[in-house]
Amino acid sequence: FNPGGNLLELVQDLTLLAMVGIVDPPRSEAKAAIAECRSAGIRVRMITGDHATTAAAIAGELGIEGRAITGAEFAAMGDDELLTQLPDIGVVARVAPEDKLRLVRLLKRSANVVAMTGDGVNDAPALKAADIGVAMGITGTEVSKEAAVMILTDDNFATIVNAVDYGRNLYDNLLKYLRFQMATLVAYIATFIGAGIFAIAGGIPLTPLQILWINMVIDIPIAVALGFDEPTSGVMGRPPRPVGAPVLSRANWVRLCVQGLVMTVGALVAYQLGDTQYDDPVVAATMLLTALSLSHLAVGLLARDQHNTIFSRAAIPGPTQLRRYGIALLAIILVTTIGFLQRIFDTTELNLAQWGICIGIAASLVVIEELIKLIIRRRHRRRPATEPQPAGARI
Protein backbone atom coordinates (compact mmCIF):
# COMPACT_ATOMS: atom_id res chain seq x y z
CA PHE A 1 0.00 0.00 0.00
CA ASN A 2 1.43 3.30 -1.13
CA PRO A 3 -0.29 6.25 0.61
CA GLY A 4 0.98 8.65 -2.04
CA GLY A 5 -0.18 6.53 -4.99
CA ASN A 6 -3.35 6.59 -7.01
CA LEU A 7 -5.93 4.72 -4.98
CA LEU A 8 -8.27 4.31 -7.97
CA GLU A 9 -5.77 1.86 -9.46
CA LEU A 10 -6.40 -0.43 -6.50
CA VAL A 11 -10.13 -0.54 -7.21
CA GLN A 12 -10.22 -3.62 -9.44
CA ASP A 13 -12.39 -6.71 -9.69
CA LEU A 14 -14.95 -5.28 -7.25
CA THR A 15 -18.70 -5.71 -7.42
CA LEU A 16 -21.10 -2.91 -6.46
CA LEU A 17 -23.47 -4.38 -3.93
CA ALA A 18 -25.36 -1.28 -2.79
CA MET A 19 -25.42 2.49 -2.77
CA VAL A 20 -26.68 4.33 0.30
CA GLY A 21 -27.94 7.92 0.23
CA ILE A 22 -28.56 9.90 3.41
CA VAL A 23 -31.17 12.64 3.27
CA ASP A 24 -31.78 15.16 6.04
CA PRO A 25 -35.01 16.77 4.82
CA PRO A 26 -36.26 20.05 6.29
CA ARG A 27 -39.27 19.91 8.56
CA SER A 28 -42.59 19.92 6.74
CA GLU A 29 -43.74 23.08 8.52
CA ALA A 30 -40.55 25.02 7.74
CA LYS A 31 -41.64 25.98 4.22
CA ALA A 32 -44.93 27.43 5.45
CA ALA A 33 -43.12 29.26 8.25
CA ILE A 34 -40.66 30.85 5.80
CA ALA A 35 -43.53 31.89 3.53
CA GLU A 36 -45.23 33.51 6.53
CA CYS A 37 -41.98 35.33 7.32
CA ARG A 38 -41.93 36.71 3.79
CA SER A 39 -45.47 38.04 4.08
CA ALA A 40 -44.53 39.60 7.44
CA GLY A 41 -41.57 41.44 5.92
CA ILE A 42 -38.96 39.19 7.55
CA ARG A 43 -36.07 38.08 5.32
CA VAL A 44 -34.77 34.56 5.99
CA ARG A 45 -31.19 33.66 5.03
CA MET A 46 -29.35 30.36 5.32
CA ILE A 47 -25.74 30.29 6.49
CA THR A 48 -24.43 26.75 6.71
CA GLY A 49 -21.41 24.50 6.55
CA ASP A 50 -22.99 22.32 3.87
CA HIS A 51 -21.86 22.29 0.25
CA ALA A 52 -23.15 25.21 -1.79
CA THR A 53 -25.07 22.97 -4.22
CA THR A 54 -26.79 21.14 -1.38
CA ALA A 55 -27.58 24.37 0.46
CA ALA A 56 -28.97 26.00 -2.69
CA ALA A 57 -31.22 23.00 -3.37
CA ILE A 58 -32.61 23.04 0.19
CA ALA A 59 -33.09 26.82 0.06
CA GLY A 60 -35.03 26.47 -3.18
CA GLU A 61 -37.20 23.78 -1.64
CA LEU A 62 -37.93 25.98 1.38
CA GLY A 63 -38.57 29.12 -0.63
CA ILE A 64 -35.55 31.07 0.63
CA GLU A 65 -34.90 33.82 -1.89
CA GLY A 66 -31.49 34.89 -3.16
CA ARG A 67 -28.46 33.31 -4.76
CA ALA A 68 -26.05 30.96 -3.03
CA ILE A 69 -22.36 31.77 -2.55
CA THR A 70 -19.54 29.92 -0.83
CA GLY A 71 -17.73 31.02 2.28
CA ALA A 72 -14.61 31.59 0.19
CA GLU A 73 -16.50 33.99 -2.09
CA PHE A 74 -18.01 35.66 0.93
CA ALA A 75 -14.62 36.15 2.61
CA ALA A 76 -13.02 37.41 -0.60
CA MET A 77 -15.42 40.35 -0.89
CA GLY A 78 -14.82 43.58 0.96
CA ASP A 79 -17.41 45.03 3.32
CA ASP A 80 -18.55 47.72 0.90
CA GLU A 81 -19.01 45.19 -1.90
CA LEU A 82 -20.89 42.83 0.40
CA LEU A 83 -23.20 45.58 1.55
CA THR A 84 -24.27 46.20 -2.04
CA GLN A 85 -24.72 42.49 -2.78
CA LEU A 86 -26.38 41.40 0.47
CA PRO A 87 -29.95 42.00 -0.79
CA ASP A 88 -29.34 39.41 -3.52
CA ILE A 89 -27.63 36.79 -1.31
CA GLY A 90 -29.87 34.18 0.31
CA VAL A 91 -27.43 31.35 1.09
CA VAL A 92 -23.83 31.34 2.29
CA ALA A 93 -22.35 27.82 2.30
CA ARG A 94 -19.11 26.26 3.56
CA VAL A 95 -18.69 29.05 6.07
CA ALA A 96 -16.25 29.58 8.88
CA PRO A 97 -17.37 30.92 12.29
CA GLU A 98 -15.96 34.36 11.47
CA ASP A 99 -18.14 34.48 8.33
CA LYS A 100 -21.28 34.11 10.44
CA LEU A 101 -20.18 36.89 12.75
CA ARG A 102 -19.31 39.12 9.82
CA LEU A 103 -22.69 38.54 8.18
CA VAL A 104 -24.50 39.51 11.38
CA ARG A 105 -22.47 42.68 11.74
CA LEU A 106 -22.99 43.69 8.11
CA LEU A 107 -26.74 43.14 8.36
CA LYS A 108 -26.87 45.28 11.49
CA ARG A 109 -24.76 47.89 9.73
CA SER A 110 -27.45 47.95 7.03
CA ALA A 111 -29.96 49.03 9.72
CA ASN A 112 -31.59 45.60 10.00
CA VAL A 113 -32.73 43.97 13.21
CA VAL A 114 -30.97 40.59 13.08
CA ALA A 115 -32.06 37.30 14.63
CA MET A 116 -29.48 34.49 14.47
CA THR A 117 -30.14 30.81 15.13
CA GLY A 118 -27.43 28.28 15.94
CA ASP A 119 -26.52 25.29 18.04
CA GLY A 120 -22.74 24.86 17.95
CA VAL A 121 -19.82 26.39 19.80
CA ASN A 122 -18.75 28.14 16.60
CA ASP A 123 -22.17 29.87 16.44
CA ALA A 124 -21.70 31.56 19.82
CA PRO A 125 -19.96 34.76 18.56
CA ALA A 126 -22.69 35.39 15.97
CA LEU A 127 -25.44 34.60 18.48
CA LYS A 128 -23.93 37.09 20.89
CA ALA A 129 -23.55 39.80 18.23
CA ALA A 130 -27.09 39.46 16.87
CA ASP A 131 -29.96 41.55 18.20
CA ILE A 132 -31.79 38.33 19.00
CA GLY A 133 -29.67 35.20 19.41
CA VAL A 134 -31.73 32.01 19.34
CA ALA A 135 -30.02 28.80 20.47
CA MET A 136 -31.34 25.27 19.99
CA GLY A 137 -32.55 23.81 23.25
CA ILE A 138 -32.23 20.12 22.27
CA THR A 139 -29.12 19.94 20.09
CA GLY A 140 -27.53 23.19 21.20
CA THR A 141 -24.32 23.31 23.18
CA GLU A 142 -24.11 25.03 26.55
CA VAL A 143 -21.87 27.70 25.03
CA SER A 144 -24.47 28.59 22.38
CA LYS A 145 -27.24 28.69 24.99
CA GLU A 146 -25.22 31.04 27.19
CA ALA A 147 -24.53 33.35 24.25
CA ALA A 148 -28.15 33.46 23.05
CA VAL A 149 -30.99 35.65 24.24
CA MET A 150 -33.60 32.95 23.60
CA ILE A 151 -33.50 29.16 23.71
CA LEU A 152 -35.74 27.24 21.33
CA THR A 153 -36.97 24.28 23.33
CA ASP A 154 -38.18 22.22 20.35
CA ASP A 155 -35.47 23.19 17.80
CA ASN A 156 -38.25 24.10 15.34
CA PHE A 157 -37.97 27.21 13.17
CA ALA A 158 -41.76 27.42 12.93
CA THR A 159 -41.83 28.08 16.68
CA ILE A 160 -39.86 31.30 16.10
CA VAL A 161 -42.47 32.43 13.58
CA ASN A 162 -45.25 31.58 16.04
CA ALA A 163 -43.44 33.65 18.66
CA VAL A 164 -43.28 36.60 16.25
CA ASP A 165 -47.00 36.22 15.59
CA TYR A 166 -47.70 36.11 19.34
CA GLY A 167 -45.49 39.15 19.94
CA ARG A 168 -47.16 41.17 17.21
CA ASN A 169 -50.60 40.38 18.58
CA LEU A 170 -49.48 41.29 22.09
CA TYR A 171 -48.11 44.61 20.83
CA ASP A 172 -51.27 45.19 18.79
CA ASN A 173 -53.44 44.73 21.89
CA LEU A 174 -51.19 47.13 23.80
CA LEU A 175 -51.79 49.72 21.08
CA LYS A 176 -55.55 49.17 21.34
CA TYR A 177 -55.39 49.80 25.07
CA LEU A 178 -53.22 52.91 24.64
CA ARG A 179 -55.49 54.35 21.96
CA PHE A 180 -58.48 53.93 24.26
CA GLN A 181 -56.75 55.43 27.29
CA MET A 182 -55.27 58.41 25.45
CA ALA A 183 -58.52 59.30 23.67
CA THR A 184 -60.51 59.22 26.93
CA LEU A 185 -57.78 61.18 28.73
CA VAL A 186 -57.95 63.92 26.09
CA ALA A 187 -61.73 63.97 26.55
CA TYR A 188 -61.43 64.32 30.35
CA ILE A 189 -59.01 67.23 30.11
CA ALA A 190 -60.87 69.00 27.32
CA THR A 191 -64.25 68.55 29.06
CA PHE A 192 -63.06 70.34 32.19
CA ILE A 193 -61.31 73.06 30.18
CA GLY A 194 -64.39 73.56 27.98
CA ALA A 195 -66.74 73.63 30.97
CA GLY A 196 -64.54 76.25 32.62
CA ILE A 197 -64.26 78.44 29.51
CA PHE A 198 -67.96 78.35 28.60
CA ALA A 199 -69.24 78.31 32.20
CA ILE A 200 -71.02 74.99 31.76
CA ALA A 201 -72.05 73.10 34.94
CA GLY A 202 -70.31 75.74 37.00
CA GLY A 203 -66.97 74.67 35.54
CA ILE A 204 -67.28 71.24 37.25
CA PRO A 205 -68.89 68.90 34.71
CA LEU A 206 -68.14 65.75 36.73
CA THR A 207 -67.90 65.13 40.45
CA PRO A 208 -64.93 63.17 41.85
CA LEU A 209 -67.18 60.15 42.49
CA GLN A 210 -68.50 60.25 38.92
CA ILE A 211 -64.93 60.31 37.59
CA LEU A 212 -64.08 57.30 39.76
CA TRP A 213 -67.21 55.49 38.53
CA ILE A 214 -66.20 55.97 34.90
CA ASN A 215 -62.54 55.07 35.52
CA MET A 216 -62.98 52.12 37.85
CA VAL A 217 -66.30 50.56 36.83
CA ILE A 218 -66.82 51.44 33.17
CA ASP A 219 -63.31 51.83 31.74
CA ILE A 220 -61.64 48.85 33.43
CA PRO A 221 -63.81 46.14 31.74
CA ILE A 222 -63.26 47.87 28.38
CA ALA A 223 -59.49 48.10 28.98
CA VAL A 224 -59.33 44.42 29.97
CA ALA A 225 -61.31 43.48 26.86
CA LEU A 226 -58.82 45.39 24.68
CA GLY A 227 -55.74 44.02 26.46
CA PHE A 228 -56.91 40.42 26.10
CA ASP A 229 -58.58 40.83 22.72
CA GLU A 230 -58.50 38.03 20.15
CA PRO A 231 -55.61 38.15 17.64
CA THR A 232 -56.27 40.60 14.83
CA SER A 233 -56.51 38.96 11.43
CA GLY A 234 -53.71 39.83 9.04
CA VAL A 235 -51.26 40.99 11.70
CA MET A 236 -48.49 38.89 10.09
CA GLY A 237 -49.21 40.52 6.75
CA ARG A 238 -48.19 43.95 8.00
CA PRO A 239 -44.71 45.33 7.36
CA PRO A 240 -42.40 45.41 10.39
CA ARG A 241 -42.43 48.49 12.57
CA PRO A 242 -39.48 50.75 11.72
CA VAL A 243 -36.69 50.87 14.29
CA GLY A 244 -37.11 53.86 16.58
CA ALA A 245 -40.72 54.48 15.58
CA PRO A 246 -42.84 55.93 18.41
CA VAL A 247 -45.55 53.78 19.93
CA LEU A 248 -48.15 56.30 18.83
CA SER A 249 -47.33 58.24 15.68
CA ARG A 250 -48.21 61.87 15.03
CA ALA A 251 -51.15 60.74 12.88
CA ASN A 252 -52.36 58.55 15.77
CA TRP A 253 -52.21 61.48 18.17
CA VAL A 254 -54.14 63.73 15.78
CA ARG A 255 -56.80 61.07 15.42
CA LEU A 256 -57.01 60.48 19.18
CA CYS A 257 -57.31 64.20 19.82
CA VAL A 258 -60.16 64.39 17.30
CA GLN A 259 -61.92 61.57 19.15
CA GLY A 260 -61.35 63.29 22.48
CA LEU A 261 -62.70 66.61 21.19
CA VAL A 262 -65.78 64.92 19.71
CA MET A 263 -66.45 63.30 23.09
CA THR A 264 -65.93 66.64 24.81
CA VAL A 265 -68.32 68.52 22.54
CA GLY A 266 -70.87 65.72 22.87
CA ALA A 267 -70.71 65.68 26.67
CA LEU A 268 -71.03 69.46 26.99
CA VAL A 269 -73.87 69.55 24.45
CA ALA A 270 -75.65 66.82 26.43
CA TYR A 271 -75.44 68.95 29.56
CA GLN A 272 -76.69 72.06 27.78
CA LEU A 273 -79.60 70.17 26.24
CA GLY A 274 -80.55 68.72 29.60
CA ASP A 275 -80.26 72.09 31.28
CA THR A 276 -82.20 74.12 28.71
CA GLN A 277 -84.89 71.61 27.73
CA TYR A 278 -85.61 70.15 31.16
CA ASP A 279 -84.44 72.99 33.42
CA ASP A 280 -82.95 70.48 35.84
CA PRO A 281 -79.20 70.49 36.65
CA VAL A 282 -79.36 66.90 37.94
CA VAL A 283 -80.85 65.68 34.65
CA ALA A 284 -78.25 67.70 32.77
CA ALA A 285 -75.38 66.25 34.82
CA THR A 286 -76.77 62.74 34.37
CA MET A 287 -77.00 63.23 30.60
CA LEU A 288 -73.40 64.47 30.52
CA LEU A 289 -72.24 61.45 32.53
CA THR A 290 -74.24 59.05 30.36
CA ALA A 291 -73.16 60.58 27.03
CA LEU A 292 -69.51 60.55 28.10
CA SER A 293 -69.75 56.95 29.37
CA LEU A 294 -71.39 55.74 26.17
CA SER A 295 -68.69 57.55 24.19
CA HIS A 296 -66.05 55.65 26.19
CA LEU A 297 -67.78 52.42 25.22
CA ALA A 298 -67.80 53.49 21.56
CA VAL A 299 -64.10 54.43 21.68
CA GLY A 300 -63.29 51.03 23.17
CA LEU A 301 -64.95 49.29 20.23
CA LEU A 302 -63.38 51.66 17.70
CA ALA A 303 -59.90 51.20 19.19
CA ARG A 304 -59.89 47.54 18.13
CA ASP A 305 -59.22 48.38 14.48
CA GLN A 306 -58.11 51.68 12.98
CA HIS A 307 -58.58 50.57 9.38
CA ASN A 308 -61.60 48.30 8.90
CA THR A 309 -65.21 49.20 9.52
CA ILE A 310 -66.88 48.41 12.81
CA PHE A 311 -70.01 47.32 10.93
CA SER A 312 -68.80 43.87 9.93
CA ARG A 313 -69.02 40.41 11.42
CA ALA A 314 -65.24 40.27 11.82
CA ALA A 315 -65.37 43.40 14.01
CA ILE A 316 -67.58 41.73 16.62
CA PRO A 317 -65.51 40.84 19.72
CA GLY A 318 -65.40 37.27 20.96
CA PRO A 319 -67.89 36.07 23.60
CA THR A 320 -65.58 36.70 26.56
CA GLN A 321 -64.68 40.22 25.48
CA LEU A 322 -68.28 40.96 24.48
CA ARG A 323 -69.36 40.16 28.06
CA ARG A 324 -66.85 42.71 29.34
CA TYR A 325 -68.30 45.39 27.09
CA GLY A 326 -71.71 44.29 28.39
CA ILE A 327 -70.54 44.84 31.98
CA ALA A 328 -69.54 48.41 31.08
CA LEU A 329 -72.92 49.03 29.41
CA LEU A 330 -74.74 47.60 32.43
CA ALA A 331 -72.81 49.93 34.73
CA ILE A 332 -73.83 52.91 32.56
CA ILE A 333 -77.49 51.94 32.93
CA LEU A 334 -77.42 51.03 36.63
CA VAL A 335 -75.93 54.32 37.82
CA THR A 336 -79.04 56.10 36.48
CA THR A 337 -81.68 53.59 37.62
CA ILE A 338 -80.77 52.22 41.06
CA GLY A 339 -81.74 54.45 43.95
CA PHE A 340 -78.68 54.23 46.19
CA LEU A 341 -76.35 54.72 43.19
CA GLN A 342 -78.36 57.80 42.22
CA ARG A 343 -77.85 59.22 45.71
CA ILE A 344 -74.12 58.45 45.73
CA PHE A 345 -73.36 59.79 42.26
CA ASP A 346 -75.93 62.61 42.08
CA THR A 347 -77.78 61.14 39.12
CA THR A 348 -81.41 60.60 38.21
CA GLU A 349 -83.37 58.32 35.93
CA LEU A 350 -83.48 59.36 32.28
CA ASN A 351 -86.50 59.04 30.02
CA LEU A 352 -86.46 57.56 26.53
CA ALA A 353 -85.87 60.89 24.79
CA GLN A 354 -82.92 61.71 27.07
CA TRP A 355 -81.40 58.30 26.46
CA GLY A 356 -81.88 58.87 22.73
CA ILE A 357 -79.89 62.13 22.92
CA CYS A 358 -77.03 60.43 24.80
CA ILE A 359 -76.94 57.49 22.40
CA GLY A 360 -77.03 59.83 19.41
CA ILE A 361 -74.06 61.80 20.77
CA ALA A 362 -72.04 58.60 21.22
CA ALA A 363 -73.12 57.43 17.75
CA SER A 364 -71.79 60.67 16.22
CA LEU A 365 -68.32 59.62 17.33
CA VAL A 366 -68.75 56.31 15.49
CA VAL A 367 -69.89 58.12 12.34
CA ILE A 368 -66.88 60.47 12.34
CA GLU A 369 -64.44 57.62 12.96
CA GLU A 370 -66.03 55.52 10.20
CA LEU A 371 -65.59 58.43 7.77
CA ILE A 372 -61.91 58.64 8.73
CA LYS A 373 -61.52 54.88 8.18
CA LEU A 374 -63.22 55.15 4.79
CA ILE A 375 -60.76 57.84 3.69
CA ILE A 376 -57.82 55.74 4.92
CA ARG A 377 -59.05 52.65 3.06
CA ARG A 378 -59.45 54.62 -0.18
CA ARG A 379 -55.94 56.04 0.14
CA HIS A 380 -54.59 52.57 0.85
CA ARG A 381 -56.21 51.18 -2.32
CA ARG A 382 -54.68 53.97 -4.40
CA ARG A 383 -51.22 53.37 -2.98
CA PRO A 384 -48.84 51.36 -5.23
CA ALA A 385 -48.66 47.65 -4.35
CA THR A 386 -44.85 47.67 -4.24
CA GLU A 387 -43.91 50.38 -1.80
CA PRO A 388 -40.35 50.43 -0.52
CA GLN A 389 -40.04 48.93 2.94
CA PRO A 390 -38.06 50.66 5.67
CA ALA A 391 -34.44 49.56 5.88
CA GLY A 392 -34.62 48.80 9.58
CA ALA A 393 -37.49 46.81 10.93
CA ARG A 394 -38.46 44.90 14.01
CA ILE A 395 -39.73 41.37 13.82
Side-chain angles (χ1 to χ4, degrees):
F1 175 71
N2 181 11
N6 187 357
L7 297 180
L8 289 177
E9 295 177 354
L10 302 177
V11 183
Q12 298 176 3
D13 301 326
L14 298 178
T15 303
L16 179 65
L17 296 179
M19 181 178 292
V20 177
I22 300 176
V23 179
D24 184 14
R27 292 175 183 255
S28 57
E29 64 271 20
K31 184 175 182 179
I34 291 172
E36 191 171 5
C37 282
R38 189 185 304 113
S39 67
I42 302 169
R43 175 75 182 273
V44 179
R45 287 182 171 87
M46 179 192 297
I47 182 163
T48 176
D50 290 339
H51 192 277
T53 304
T54 305
I58 295 174
E61 183 181 348
L62 292 175
I64 296 176
E65 298 175 333
R67 61 189 177 89
I69 64 171
T70 64
E73 294 172 313
F74 182 84
M77 286 187 278
D79 287 353
D80 292 337
E81 184 182 359
L82 265 177
L83 286 172
T84 59
Q85 295 198 29
L86 270 179
D88 300 324
I89 297 173
V91 179
V92 186
R94 292 295 191 195
V95 293
E98 55 268 24
D99 295 330
K100 300 178 181 180
L101 179 60
R102 186 184 178 206
L103 178 61
V104 169
R105 287 176 174 170
L106 287 174
L107 287 171
K108 291 178 69 175
R109 186 173 156 186
S110 302
N112 291 287
V113 175
V114 183
M116 170 74 186
T117 62
D119 57 3
V121 175
N122 59 353
D123 295 322
L127 290 170
K128 189 71 174 178
D131 294 290
I132 308 166
V134 184
M136 301 297 109
I138 299 174
T139 61
T141 61
E142 291 301 318
V143 175
S144 65
K145 293 177 185 178
E146 287 292 331
V149 176
M150 298 170 57
I151 298 175
L152 199 59
T153 56
D154 59 359
D155 290 10
N156 189 348
F157 178 79
T159 303
I160 300 177
V161 182
N162 292 335
V164 173
D165 186 20
Y166 181 82
R168 286 193 176 189
N169 281 297
L170 190 65
Y171 185 79
D172 193 51
N173 284 354
L174 174 63
L175 286 181
K176 296 175 186 178
Y177 169 78
L178 287 177
R179 288 196 292 264
F180 168 72
Q181 289 291 351
M182 293 301 103
T184 55
L185 180 61
V186 169
Y188 272 132
I189 296 172
T191 299
F192 275 90
I193 293 175
I197 292 173
F198 299 104
I200 297 173
I204 307 174
L206 295 167
T207 67
L209 286 176
Q210 288 173 345
I211 294 173
L212 286 174
W213 177 261
I214 295 176
N215 280 337
M216 304 302 295
V217 181
I218 295 172
D219 284 357
I220 285 181
I222 299 173
V224 172
L226 292 171
F228 293 92
D229 203 4
E230 289 81 6
T232 305
S233 60
V235 70
M236 285 296 280
R238 302 175 187 172
R241 182 172 62 92
V243 176
V247 176
L248 292 174
S249 66
R250 184 180 300 177
N252 289 146
W253 276 111
V254 170
R255 193 165 171 180
L256 295 177
C257 287
V258 169
Q259 291 180 358
L261 291 176
V262 171
M263 285 190 282
T264 298
V265 172
L268 297 180
V269 167
Y271 184 91
Q272 287 295 91
L273 289 174
D275 192 32
T276 56
Q277 291 187 13
Y278 303 99
D279 195 23
D280 188 340
V282 177
V283 170
T286 304
M287 288 179 66
L288 185 150
L289 176 65
T290 304
L292 189 60
S293 300
L294 289 171
S295 296
H296 279 215
L297 185 62
V299 167
L301 291 169
L302 292 168
R304 298 183 67 243
D305 194 332
Q306 286 199 306
H307 185 267
N308 297 309
T309 178
I310 196 175
F311 301 109
S312 67
R313 183 172 295 180
I316 300 174
T320 302
Q321 313 311 333
L322 202 58
R323 283 195 291 270
R324 288 169 176 151
Y325 288 105
I327 291 171
L329 179 60
L330 183 63
I332 295 170
I333 297 171
L334 291 181
V335 76
T336 65
T337 55
I338 296 181
F340 77 93
L341 289 178
Q342 292 175 342
R343 290 191 297 272
I344 294 172
F345 296 101
D346 296 326
T347 60
T348 187
E349 191 167 356
L350 300 178
N351 60 35
L352 190 60
Q354 292 161 352
W355 271 105
I357 292 171
C358 296
I359 293 171
I361 288 171
S364 67
L365 177 63
V366 177
V367 172
I368 292 172
E369 182 67 12
E370 284 298 311
L371 289 174
I372 294 173
K373 289 181 179 181
L374 180 62
I375 294 170
I376 291 174
R377 287 196 298 272
R378 286 185 175 178
R379 286 182 179 177
H380 184 75
R381 284 195 292 267
R382 292 172 186 170
R383 193 175 300 169
T386 55
E387 279 197 349
Q389 296 297 329
R394 296 186 184 273
I395 62 172

